[in-house]
Amino acid sequence: MALVLYNTLNRKKERFEPIDPDHVRMYVCGPTVYDFAHLGNARSVVIFDVLYRILKRHYGRVTYVRNITDIDDKIINAAKEAGEPIDQLTRRFTRVFHDDMAALGMLEPDAEPKASEHIDQMIAMIETLVAKGHAYVAEGHVLFSVSSMPDYGRLSNRNREEMIAGARVEVAPYKKDPADFVLWKPSADDQPGWDSPWGRGRPGWHLECSAMSEAHLGLPFDIHGGGQDLIFPHHENEMAQSVSAHDGAEFVRYWVHNGYLTVEGEKMAKSLGNYYTAHELLEAHPGEAIRFYMLKTQYRQPLDFTLEGLRQARHDLDRLYTALRQAAGVDVEPAGQVPERFMTALDEDLNTPLAISRLHELAVDLNKARRRRDKARLKGALLAGGEVLGLLGQDPEAWFKGPATGAAIDEAEIAEMVTARSTARADGDFVKADQIRHDLRIKYKIILEDRPDGTTDWRRAG
């Protein structure tokens, strides 16, 4: 089955047909590095990481570009508030972003351009837009003239009044039209800036992605991704700039956007006390559980985050890892066969909930299998399917006996308590045996797994 994606530009699902079948190219808007990535940011990275994995299954060569925005007014304000040099702040949060995304199981993109390293390309694009009548200079600013593009608003499907309201446009006397947006702005002495034909200044945010995507992927390219919140004004303005700079030529074939994330039914906001960052959650929860939770909802649907939902996601993963643990002695081929039913689910607009249900079916079959060759086949299929989703890459023992979330206790101490409990049970002292089990569960968050032949294993609770 061919890959099908919902194309925001045409507002329908479409069969994915790459511009060049020998080289698929995808650009996704990356972080603005002035703070920790919040859960909404992380969801977008998880979704497009899965899409990247799927594309690599279907095509021989895939280039995935995810940028770093290190020039932005939010960065300037954050550095001033922290009393920290801008380059130091952006390096610090870029490093944290990389660490957090690695903990969530992301593959590295093929290129990760920084805005600050593409100023020449940005200036060149602005010069082209001015020369072609799509931009004008006013009081040290260069602005894109939206009236020069007849179908401006096509991507977001908004009328003029909605676009002006949605963009929260800056009211400025030098604008010819309230909807015009900044391509270049002047910089004060204490702000980062670069020399340009219009004076010392810095680029607008929308322009940065237009220049970086073209520099690394050429035009047109196949997929441009990001969250729904970027459709307008960011992606609308990107398309306007890039199409206008190239005389109406195609910019992107497929625009793909993931849905919003809420917390306990409300919009996530620091003022509401329901604001979660990936960094914060990773201190208390396995990255794989967070990733799994996000994939339980189809990417275009809104995701309502709850801590109880995250705990349930870990329990769901426990069941998959339990099947792998019970088949620990079974060898499989290095590259297992991904089940067709599993890939069919993902090819239908990234239906990750259905794909996850297929993994659970494989786990059930693996638990029931008796012949070694059946176990090897099912285990390989489970691992291969998990790999496409960025899951089940750990050794089962590492998963169950990973970092503690209760009071500190090492594996040797756990083994001593398990032995003491087994001795108590053998001696008929069930009160003592139950107390040890209770202490392990309540105090240390350790769950014992009893079988007819005794306590053979344990795992940390979620």
Side-chain angles (χ1 to χ4, degrees):
M1 180 177 175
L3 174 62
V4 172
L5 295 171
Y6 184 88
N7 189 349
T8 304
L9 182 62
N10 297 326
R11 287 171 284 285
K12 64 181 181 180
K13 291 181 184 180
E14 298 176 346
R15 177 174 174 150
F16 178 68
E17 297 180 349
I19 297 166
D20 177 2
D22 294 325
H23 184 195
V24 175
R25 292 164 293 158
M26 177 172 72
Y27 183 91
V28 176
C29 290
T32 301
V33 284
Y34 70 99
D35 201 350
F36 298 110
H38 61 64
L39 277 186
N41 303 141
R43 185 189 188 194
S44 184
V45 182
V46 167
I47 293 303
F48 290 101
D49 179 75
V50 171
L51 178 54
Y52 180 40
R53 292 167 185 264
I54 294 170
L55 291 169
K56 286 165 73 72
R57 284 268 170 180
H58 285 303
Y59 300 96
R61 181 184 176 196
V62 180
T63 298
Y64 171 27
V65 178
R66 186 185 67 215
N67 75 293
I68 294 287
T69 296
D70 59 351
I71 306 168
D72 189 84
D73 288 354
K74 292 179 180 178
I75 295 173
I76 295 172
N77 294 335
K80 184 178 295 185
E81 185 176 330
E84 184 177 6
I86 287 175
D87 59 345
Q88 181 175 307
L89 178 107
T90 57
R91 283 198 304 270
R92 177 161 61 89
F93 280 112
T94 298
R95 183 172 62 252
V96 171
F97 174 78
H98 287 156
D99 290 344
D100 290 346
M101 294 308 105
L104 291 172
M106 310 299 180
L107 298 176
E108 292 184 4
D110 298 290
E112 193 176 50
K114 293 181 179 179
S116 61
E117 298 172 353
H118 293 75
I119 299 299
D120 289 345
Q121 292 93 328
M122 296 175 199
I123 290 174
M125 179 172 279
I126 296 173
E127 289 179 317
T128 298
L129 289 168
V130 171
K132 293 184 176 183
H134 293 290
Y136 59 93
V137 182
E139 297 185 19
H141 295 74
V142 185
L143 297 108
F144 183 88
S145 175
V146 297
S147 63
S148 72
M149 187 178 183
D151 61 349
Y152 181 77
R154 177 187 167 200
L155 177 64
S156 57
N157 196 30
R158 298 187 181 199
N159 61 37
R160 176 181 170 79
E161 289 71 25
E162 289 173 328
M163 288 189 289
I164 291 175
R168 299 184 181 89
V169 296
E170 178 187 355
V171 178
Y174 50 77
K175 286 187 175 184
K176 294 180 180 179
D177 186 306
D180 293 348
F181 57 89
V182 172
L183 302 174
W184 189 265
K185 65 177 74 175
S187 292
D189 292 341
D190 63 343
Q191 295 175 325
W194 292 263
D195 292 334
S196 79
W198 317 285
R200 183 178 177 276
R202 60 192 189 277
W205 174 41
H206 313 305
L207 183 82
E208 295 176 3
C209 284
S210 282
M212 287 186 283
S213 61
E214 182 176 351
H216 290 269
L217 295 175
L219 296 185
F221 57 91
D222 297 290
I223 298 171
H224 195 317
Q228 283 185 1
D229 58 310
L230 297 181
I231 296 174
F232 188 85
H234 186 50
H235 289 168
E236 188 76 66
N237 291 350
E238 270 190 72
M239 188 167 76
Q241 296 158 166
S242 296
V243 169
S244 297
H246 293 277
D247 301 320
E250 185 179 38
F251 172 38
V252 173
R253 182 69 55 87
Y254 300 87
W255 290 86
V256 181
H257 295 94
N258 64 276
Y260 293 105
L261 183 143
T262 57
V263 176
E264 303 281 359
E266 293 188 295
K267 182 177 180 180
M268 186 170 60
K270 291 180 179 179
S271 60
L272 296 175
N274 67 350
Y275 187 89
Y276 289 101
T277 67
H279 191 75
E280 173 190 6
L281 283 178
L282 284 166
E283 293 178 350
H285 304 274
E288 191 172 348
I290 299 171
R291 181 186 183 98
F292 187 89
Y293 185 23
M294 291 181 173
L295 295 178
K296 288 176 68 176
T297 299
Q298 201 266 352
Y299 81 98
R300 286 194 293 114
Q301 302 305 313
L303 169 62
D304 187 38
F305 176 83
T306 66
L307 288 175
E308 178 55 37
L310 179 55
R311 282 189 285 271
Q312 183 59 51
R314 177 161 187 173
H315 293 323
D316 291 345
L317 267 174
D318 283 348
R319 289 197 288 272
L320 298 179
Y321 270 114
T322 294
L324 293 173
R325 182 190 232 181
Q326 292 174 355
V330 178
D331 294 330
V332 297
E333 294 295 324
Q337 182 67 37
V338 179
E340 183 177 349
R341 293 177 71 239
F342 175 86
M343 285 306 302
T344 298
L346 291 180
D347 284 344
E348 179 52 40
D349 199 27
L350 277 63
N351 192 339
T352 54
L354 182 56
I356 286 172
S357 74
R358 302 286 193 244
L359 293 184
H360 283 294
E361 290 170 4
L362 286 169
V364 170
D365 290 343
L366 177 57
N367 287 331
K368 293 179 179 178
R370 293 294 174 262
R371 294 189 300 179
R372 194 170 186 85
R373 66 180 181 183
D374 290 336
K375 288 186 177 183
R377 174 179 56 82
L378 290 164
K379 180 180 179 181
L382 181 57
L383 289 171
E387 184 181 7
V388 179
L389 294 177
L391 301 170
L392 305 179
Q394 298 186 53
D395 180 272
E397 294 306 313
W399 169 256
F400 286 116
K401 299 177 180 179
T405 56
I409 184 172
D410 61 30
E411 292 193 27
E413 293 173 296
I414 295 171
E416 288 178 6
M417 293 180 72
V418 169
T419 299
R421 178 171 177 268
S422 297
T423 299
R425 294 179 73 188
D427 293 342
D429 190 350
F430 296 107
V431 173
K432 181 178 179 181
D434 288 346
Q435 185 61 50
I436 293 173
R437 183 185 185 92
H438 179 273
D439 288 347
L440 283 167
R441 178 67 181 89
I442 301 303
K443 185 176 181 180
Y444 299 112
K445 307 297 184 187
I446 300 296
I447 298 175
L448 300 181
E449 297 183 348
D450 288 336
R451 296 194 177 94
D453 56 346
T455 300
T456 58
D457 234 318
W458 57 268
R459 60 184 173 85
R460 297 194 189 276

